[in-house]
Amino acid sequence: MTLQSGRLASQRRLASTLKGNGVIGIRREDKNEWERRVPLTPQHVSTLVNDGLKVLVQPSSIRAFSNEEYAEAGGVVIEDLSEANTIVAVKEVPVECLIPERTYMMFSHTHKAQPYNMPLLDEILRKNIRLIDFERIAGEEGRVVKFGPFAGFAGTIDTLHALGVALLAQHFATPFLHVSHAKEYKSLEAARENLIDVGNTIRKRGLPKEIGPLTFVVTGTGSVSQAAQQILHHLPCQYVEASALKALHAKTNFDNKTVYVCVVTAKDMVRPKKKSQSFDKEEYYAHPERYVPTFHESVAPYASAIINGMYWEDRFPRLLTLEQTKTLYKTRGRLPTLVLGDITCDPFGSIEFFTKSTSIAHPLYCYDPATDTSVDFEHFSGQGPLIVGVDHLPAEFPMEASDFFGTPLVPLVKEVATNDGTVPWEVQEKSLPAVVANGVIACHGKLTPKYGYIEELRQKRESVKVEGGKRNVLILGAGMVSGPAVEYILRDKRNSVTLADASVKAAQAILDEYAGDSAHAGRDAAGRNQSSRAVALDVSHAEHLDTLVKQADLVVSLVPWTLHPTVMKTCIDRKVPVVTASYVSPPVQDLHADACAANVTILNEMGLDPGIDIMSSLQMLAKIRRNGGVVRSYESYCGALPEPEASRNCLGYKFSWSPKGVLLAATRPCTFLWKDRLVDLAGPRLYDFAQPFTAFRGLHMEWVPNGNALGYKDVYDLQDAHTIVRATLRYRGFSTAIRALRELGMLDPNKVVEELKKGGKKQVSWGTVLEKLSGVGLGDMAQKLADDFARLQEEMRNAEEGGHFFDLKLLGSIEDEVTTALSALDELRLSDKHFLAPKVASGAVVDSLAETLNNSLVYEPHESDFVLMYHRVVAEYPHEQKSMVHESSLALRGTAGSVSATARTVGLPLGIGAQLVLDGVITKPGIVRPIIPEVYKPVMKALRKEGVFMNETEYILRA
């Protein structure tokens, strides 16, 4: 076969993958290091291969089964799964790893319109993927492929372990202390043997009378419930009906050498609203609104431990609401429930104080009913129940669980892999096994008819208007600066906040920290009147963006600047004002006419830089001119840095935002005016001309030009100025390290090293990467850097001689430069042949470097950041025949372990700007910058009240 014919054959094979080519791919699980389960074991692969199918297996070093075992079973261990038409995985596949036009079988967690996975569903539809959800592969007998029993096994074992800890906190040592976490056992059989020993101890010695009768409440009757009961059967146990719980707990002569088990179903959780009626299961499931909850009255007061394994939807009453839980606490002085094992792992679901899932590594946390807060396990003091919330419990018994799961999957995946996914859905539905067809959520780029409700449910959730006449502020992006903006906006009780982010967990975390009492908003699926809520959003999904925008009274856009035009166009169409901290880019400016026509305010540059720098400069310049001054020189410097005592590293810098953004900022071109001469520096040369910053003698700093300073000549009316500079501040040494990284090729986004690509088998050290990039060995690195710096010094001298840079001073001798650069490489371990470079999707050196810096140059809990801004203006006063120097400065430290100075100085202007637009103080339509008094005067006044203001001094300039 020729190379060309081979390529054509490959293209034909890949193009026809949805047709069903009989090739199955097993994806590597990478959601977390404890996910060691597989959808198909080596034994299952052997069966499929013997039946004539081909199975590709992505290599993995953490699976319960080795790569060698799969190879011996006939699987092809290979990174690239693109040949497969059907790809199977246990957990959700990352959006960026989805291969278009394939069939994916996995637990997608999308069928209830779960907000956190809506971006995944959007991408599946966009890439024309046929999605088959394991959870929905079901028939009349229920689910066909499931880990259910193992979730019940592991979850109940973990609950017993937690019960031992909880009782110890109540000063009772019990045999439950000898139950380990499920992950600590070699096998399920080993766990059973341990539980039998614990049960025998209870039979022999009993439990403390003070804690009895010890009652386990198990919800539901499905596989999870049955597995939980199997585990409890290793203990001496007696079953009791829900109706008999009250009488049991009234006894004083109960048997303390047994535990009591109560299995509750729907009839034990609710009663008909009409007292004359009795419970009817069919009616309840059809019309739950005709029933009222009773679990909190008839069951919860007597439950020592709750093992929740019952499926729940938000149309049904909860088992326990927050209010019911608080009432129980107030009535008794403590909650009777010591432990909650929520095997359903449904945050804010049937048990509302279950607020978050946990991991196998950190399985426990606590709910404190006195403060209505979740408390980390490290701070557990016995107040409130311990909660087991592991979201992948079966992974605690990975080998047995995988075998149980994969056995019924084998015949089904064989059918799917040979099924034609290109024909109309109606044809597919008939050709697939009925149980599989039931699980097909997406096909041909849209939801299948059975799952069309997902879009309706999603829109209903996303379009919930906050009640009570509140003004809804939609904040797009849950980065660090969003917190202070949320806090400021919610001070006004007329306002509500919807915080949208690709990660709903990140959004909820911001609300938990900054939204105070209203942080719990949005968690009530019944739609209570709340002041804040977190939702998932992919801004590129126009329909969902529009759904949120049309419900908003104002939008604060914190998305990447390239996405601002998309957001703003939607807001203009919906006549919703926008506030953002970003510069006005040409695409944004192009929207000015449309915004004016729609009478919509688009307020930009409401941050620190740009933002406070612009507004404080305008205030300062206006004051000078009112006193008759003529501005001859304007310099503005700003830096977001570590506080001085936290700057002890080679860069004198720590990262509170994207390291890649900081690195690539070092390659942006800049233009400024210096003593009547135009200085135009190409991006790569920026840090060659770093200058000493001497305004504050106690700080050893340098500055580099920032962007196009001449863009502010008209804004600030600097027509008579001979110097116009805007610059970024760094501690000394930063520029030398950056120059070294640049000369070694580490800042070039086009430099790719194959071994750095995520998914590859080979690892590579930073020392080896450095040698590849530089072309010399580590022993010759000092000489290479000396040669590079000598060349740079010569080029700079020539530039000065050519009149391009004039009288600015250059930094350091070549010897000092080399010493500083080598120290930086050593400290960052970039010259270490034993320090592995992290793999990244792009394989780009700058991306791997950014991840390395993000992991090494981080703020410690006791450290904070430091914002420094300084303006220097020289003005002539002709009538007084004098020249004055006017200085203005802002120095602000963050709070260690809390709000950073950067977040405050960006988030506060955003929040203030939003409030002023909502209140009708700022009304100017179009693309608005903070360069008009209508904007900068009230914003700066509000900032002063927050303790953010410039200190001004002035003195006569001596000739």
Side-chain angles (χ1 to χ4, degrees):
M1 179 182 290
T2 66
L3 179 60
Q4 182 175 1
S5 63
R7 186 182 297 117
L8 290 174
S10 175
Q11 290 173 348
R12 284 194 299 269
R13 181 179 69 248
L14 297 182
S16 63
T17 47
L18 268 178
K19 282 184 173 294
N21 61 2
V23 182
I24 299 166
I26 301 176
R27 192 180 178 279
R28 171 177 53 244
E29 301 296 329
D30 51 15
K31 191 163 186 177
N32 64 68
E33 66 274 16
W34 287 99
E35 188 48 85
R36 303 179 61 230
R37 292 175 294 174
V38 294
L40 296 168
T41 69
Q43 182 59 50
H44 299 140
V45 168
S46 176
T47 300
L48 290 167
V49 171
N50 290 337
D51 287 344
L53 284 85
K54 183 176 182 180
V55 181
L56 311 179
V57 184
Q58 270 191 331
S60 170
S61 58
I62 64 171
R63 277 195 192 106
F65 304 93
S66 68
N67 298 329
E68 290 73 22
E69 288 177 281
Y70 278 105
E72 290 169 4
V76 179
V77 180
I78 186 172
E79 183 64 33
D80 184 7
L81 298 182
S82 58
E83 183 185 352
N85 83 304
T86 300
I87 298 174
V88 293
V90 175
K91 287 293 190 179
E92 307 97 312
V93 176
V95 168
E96 65 274 13
C97 296
L98 291 169
I99 303 174
E101 311 237 336
R102 301 295 188 278
T103 296
Y104 276 87
M105 302 180 75
M106 59 179 164
F107 287 104
S108 70
H109 301 293
T110 58
H111 74 275
K112 291 195 287 185
Q114 289 94 320
Y116 53 88
N117 271 344
M118 289 302 94
L120 171 65
L121 185 59
D122 291 340
E123 193 69 6
I124 284 170
L125 297 176
R126 190 178 295 121
K127 289 185 174 180
N128 190 26
I129 287 169
R130 181 168 63 169
L131 171 63
I132 303 175
D133 195 303
F134 289 136
E135 193 170 358
R136 309 304 289 174
I137 297 178
E140 294 181 1
E141 303 281 325
R143 286 175 53 189
V144 176
V145 288
K146 54 190 175 183
F147 292 108
F150 287 89
F153 295 149
T156 305
I157 292 169
D158 286 349
T159 301
L160 291 173
H161 168 81
L163 180 60
V165 175
L167 287 169
L168 187 63
Q170 303 289 339
H171 306 292
F172 295 108
T174 66
F176 297 115
L177 283 173
H178 301 294
V179 180
S180 298
H181 283 300
K183 68 180 174 64
E184 305 294 339
Y185 295 106
K186 182 179 180 180
S187 65
L188 179 59
E189 187 57 35
R192 290 183 187 277
E193 291 175 1
N194 176 225
L195 290 171
I196 291 171
D197 288 342
V198 169
N200 288 336
T201 302
I202 294 173
R203 286 187 184 91
K204 182 178 180 180
R205 298 179 181 175
L207 296 167
K209 275 280 189 180
E210 296 89 338
I211 67 173
L214 195 69
T215 306
F216 291 88
V217 170
V218 182
T219 65
T221 57
S223 60
V224 170
S225 172
Q226 292 172 28
Q229 292 175 63
Q230 282 187 43
I231 295 299
L232 294 176
H233 287 170
H234 295 303
L235 310 175
C237 61
Q238 295 181 34
Y239 277 79
V240 59
E241 292 292 326
S243 58
L245 284 173
K246 185 176 182 179
L248 170 65
H249 280 254
K251 291 182 178 180
T252 56
N253 61 341
F254 60 86
D255 186 355
N256 73 321
K257 293 186 177 182
T258 188
V259 300
Y260 294 87
V261 178
C262 178
V263 179
V264 298
T265 59
K267 66 179 176 60
D268 306 308
M269 304 170 187
V270 296
R271 62 170 174 79
K273 287 182 177 179
K274 294 182 179 180
K275 294 183 179 180
S276 59
Q277 292 182 345
S278 57
F279 177 83
D280 184 292
K281 183 177 178 181
E282 289 185 5
E283 181 193 45
Y284 173 62
Y285 283 109
H287 298 283
E289 71 280 1
R290 298 176 183 174
Y291 287 77
V292 295
T294 59
F295 183 88
H296 64 291
E297 298 171 336
S298 59
V299 177
Y302 314 107
S304 309
I306 298 175
I307 299 173
N308 187 24
M310 181 187 69
Y311 177 78
W312 179 82
E313 294 179 2
D314 57 16
R315 62 193 183 94
F316 296 104
R318 283 188 165 91
L319 294 178
L320 278 174
T321 67
L322 286 176
E323 292 306 316
Q324 292 164 355
T325 305
K326 291 176 186 176
T327 299
L328 273 173
Y329 171 76
K330 291 175 182 176
T331 302
R332 294 170 168 258
R334 70 172 185 85
L335 281 181
T337 302
L338 299 171
V339 177
L340 166 65
D342 199 327
I343 299 174
T344 66
C345 200
D346 187 11
F348 309 116
S350 59
I351 297 179
E352 197 174 13
F353 65 75
F354 179 72
T355 60
K356 63 181 180 179
S357 59
T358 58
S359 67
I360 291 176
H362 304 286
L364 303 176
Y365 67 100
C366 173
Y367 171 69
D368 184 349
T371 59
D372 188 25
T373 56
S374 295
V375 181
D376 289 341
F377 175 64
E378 291 75 15
H379 305 294
F380 174 61
S381 61
Q383 178 81 356
L386 269 180
I387 299 172
V388 178
V390 179
D391 63 358
H392 48 301
L393 282 166
E396 301 200 59
F397 294 117
M399 298 184 76
E400 296 109 311
S402 297
D403 184 66
F404 182 90
F405 182 86
T407 298
L409 177 61
V410 168
L412 302 180
V413 75
K414 180 180 177 181
E415 293 283 347
V416 173
T418 54
N419 180 263
D420 188 351
T422 64
V423 299
W425 166 243
E426 294 76 11
V427 178
Q428 292 184 49
E429 189 175 20
K430 294 177 181 178
S431 62
L432 286 167
V435 292
V436 173
N438 287 338
V440 180
I441 290 178
C443 183
H444 295 314
K446 56 186 179 182
L447 298 170
T448 56
K450 183 176 180 179
Y451 295 96
Y453 70 86
I454 293 177
E455 187 62 32
E456 297 172 12
L457 181 58
R458 180 178 183 180
Q459 289 194 10
K460 179 181 176 182
R461 284 180 176 171
E462 293 175 350
S463 64
V464 171
K465 259 285 194 183
V466 179
E467 299 171 5
K470 287 182 178 288
R471 304 180 298 191
N472 183 22
V473 178
L474 171 63
I475 300 180
L476 303 177
M480 67 169 187
V481 303
S482 64
V486 167
E487 188 275 332
Y488 189 90
I489 291 168
L490 287 177
R491 290 184 198 174
D492 188 329
K493 300 305 180 184
R494 298 172 296 170
N495 297 339
S496 65
V497 165
T498 299
L499 185 55
D501 193 87
S503 168
V504 75
K505 289 184 179 179
Q508 187 60 54
I510 290 290
L511 294 181
D512 287 343
E513 183 173 356
Y514 289 96
D517 292 339
S518 66
H520 299 304
R523 70 184 183 183
D524 188 339
R528 296 178 300 178
N529 180 19
Q530 300 292 346
S531 293
S532 66
R533 65 189 180 115
V535 299
L537 175 68
D538 177 356
V539 173
S540 63
H541 194 293
E543 185 177 350
H544 295 139
L545 175 63
D546 182 69
T547 298
L548 290 174
V549 168
K550 70 183 180 183
Q551 299 295 325
D553 296 292
L554 181 139
V555 172
V556 176
S557 182
L558 299 178
V559 299
W561 67 270
T562 53
L563 295 175
H564 284 319
T566 299
V567 172
M568 291 173 183
K569 287 176 185 175
T570 303
C571 291
I572 291 170
D573 290 342
R574 291 292 179 182
K575 300 187 184 304
V576 176
V578 184
V579 180
T580 179
S582 298
Y583 285 104
V584 175
S585 65
V588 167
Q589 188 60 47
D590 289 343
L591 298 173
H592 179 68
D594 291 341
C596 287
N599 196 32
V600 172
T601 300
I602 310 289
L603 181 58
N604 301 268
E605 302 178 355
M606 293 301 294
L608 172 65
D609 175 8
I612 295 176
D613 61 336
I614 297 171
M615 295 184 285
S616 58
S617 292
L618 286 166
Q619 276 194 325
M620 185 181 186
L621 294 170
K623 180 180 177 182
I624 291 170
R625 290 177 177 126
R626 282 198 304 270
N627 293 326
V630 178
V631 177
R632 296 301 187 192
S633 173
Y634 169 83
E635 300 168 51
S636 179
Y637 306 85
C638 184
L641 304 156
E643 58 186 347
E645 57 268 42
S647 64
R648 293 177 297 174
N649 62 59
C650 57
L651 291 177
Y653 196 81
K654 293 197 172 185
F655 293 96
S656 56
W657 66 294
S658 165
K660 185 177 180 181
V662 174
L663 295 173
L664 294 184
T667 64
R668 287 203 303 256
C670 66
T671 303
F672 60 100
L673 191 66
W674 187 261
K675 297 185 178 179
D676 280 330
R677 299 194 180 182
L678 181 67
V679 181
D680 194 0
L681 296 179
R685 304 300 304 275
L686 180 61
Y687 275 83
D688 295 346
F689 295 98
Q691 302 297 309
F693 179 73
T694 57
F696 300 93
R697 298 292 180 181
L699 295 173
H700 199 50
M701 306 184 84
E702 61 192 27
W703 64 268
V704 292
N706 178 16
N708 181 14
L710 295 189
Y712 290 83
K713 186 173 184 178
D714 292 334
V715 170
Y716 294 159
D717 191 16
L718 299 176
Q719 309 304 325
D720 298 315
H722 59 68
T723 296
I724 305 173
V725 172
R726 296 183 77 249
T728 299
L729 294 175
R730 293 287 184 261
Y731 291 117
R732 290 287 291 273
F734 184 88
S735 62
T736 300
I738 290 294
R739 286 199 294 273
L741 295 176
R742 183 199 64 202
E743 290 303 304
L744 294 170
M746 303 183 86
L747 303 187
D748 184 350
N750 297 316
K751 291 278 187 182
V752 174
V753 173
E754 287 300 317
E755 293 93 333
L756 290 179
K757 287 187 176 178
K758 189 173 283 187
K761 293 181 181 179
K762 292 184 178 179
Q763 297 280 357
V764 63
S765 71
W766 268 121
T768 301
V769 171
L770 193 58
E771 289 181 332
K772 282 176 177 277
L773 294 175
S774 65
V776 301
L778 294 178
D780 298 321
M781 197 61 61
Q783 186 59 51
K784 172 176 171 49
L785 288 171
D787 295 341
D788 288 340
F789 286 139
R791 173 178 51 78
L792 289 174
Q793 291 278 23
E794 183 65 25
E795 289 175 357
M796 287 189 282
R797 277 192 292 272
N798 290 338
E800 286 187 293
E801 291 168 2
H804 295 297
F805 206 70
F806 325 112
D807 60 350
L808 293 182
K809 296 178 181 179
L810 304 176
L811 292 178
S813 67
I814 291 176
E815 183 178 353
D816 290 341
E817 295 270 295
V818 171
T819 300
T820 301
L822 289 176
S823 296
L825 292 175
D826 287 344
E827 184 178 328
L828 296 173
R829 299 185 67 186
L830 300 180
S831 56
D832 188 342
K833 285 212 168 183
H834 299 288
F835 182 45
L836 297 180
K839 291 180 177 291
V840 290
S842 65
V845 175
V846 70
D847 288 335
S848 185
L849 175 62
E851 188 165 333
T852 297
L853 296 181
N854 197 39
N855 292 332
S856 57
L857 302 183
V858 295
Y859 285 95
E860 299 296 332
H862 65 280
E863 296 177 337
S864 64
D865 66 338
F866 172 55
V867 165
L868 181 63
M869 183 178 289
Y870 171 76
H871 306 315
R872 184 179 189 272
V873 176
V874 177
E876 290 182 0
Y877 292 83
H879 296 298
E880 301 178 42
Q881 296 185 336
K882 66 177 181 180
S883 294
M884 298 285 293
V885 175
H886 300 267
E887 295 180 322
S888 177
S889 63
L890 165 69
L892 190 69
R893 288 176 180 247
T895 304
S898 182
V899 185
S900 71
T902 306
R904 281 193 70 204
T905 51
V906 177
L908 278 175
L910 280 166
I912 291 167
Q915 186 68 42
L916 292 171
V917 173
L918 287 169
D919 290 347
V921 176
I922 298 174
T923 59
K924 183 178 176 64
I927 302 302
V928 181
R929 300 174 66 195
I931 60 177
I932 55 177
E934 176 189 339
V935 176
Y936 69 75
K937 284 185 176 181
V939 172
M940 292 301 290
K941 182 179 179 180
L943 281 170
R944 177 171 283 275
K945 292 180 179 179
E946 301 299 318
V948 179
F949 57 89
M950 308 292 288
N951 292 296
E952 296 185 8
T953 59
E954 60 183 43
Y955 57 89
I956 296 175
L957 180 65
R958 303 298 179 184

